[in-house]
Amino acid sequence: MFAEWYSTQGLIAVVLIFIGSYVQSSIGFGLAIVSAPLLFMVSPIYVPAPICLVALFISVLNALKHEIVCRLAALKWP
């Protein structure tokens, strides 16, 4: 299972996800815009699941980082 991560395609996919994650964290969007087309050219298998999981992980980390300014009471239904 982990042997395919160390292939050339796997390492290219990791680098592309890292670049997309960096853009996403710095300007707020870009993971799907930067990584998805390039990952699709590497292998279509890498497009749906890795991007969704990384986007969820980045969102959770940003919410935890900025939890002081997040007002959960504002999310309640009136």
Side-chain angles (χ1 to χ4, degrees), residues 10-68:
L11 293 176
I12 291 172
V14 168
V15 169
L16 291 174
I17 291 272
F18 176 78
I19 292 170
S21 299
Y22 180 76
V23 172
Q24 174 81 26
S25 295
S26 60
I27 62 173
F29 68 94
L31 182 63
I33 294 172
V34 172
S35 296
L38 299 173
L39 279 174
F40 190 78
M41 288 193 299
V42 172
S43 176
I45 296 172
Y46 295 136
V47 175
I51 289 180
C52 290
L53 292 175
V54 171
L56 176 67
F57 186 69
I58 289 173
S59 298
V60 168
L61 285 179
N62 282 335
L64 292 175
K65 180 180 176 182
H66 301 293
E67 70 179 331
I68 294 173

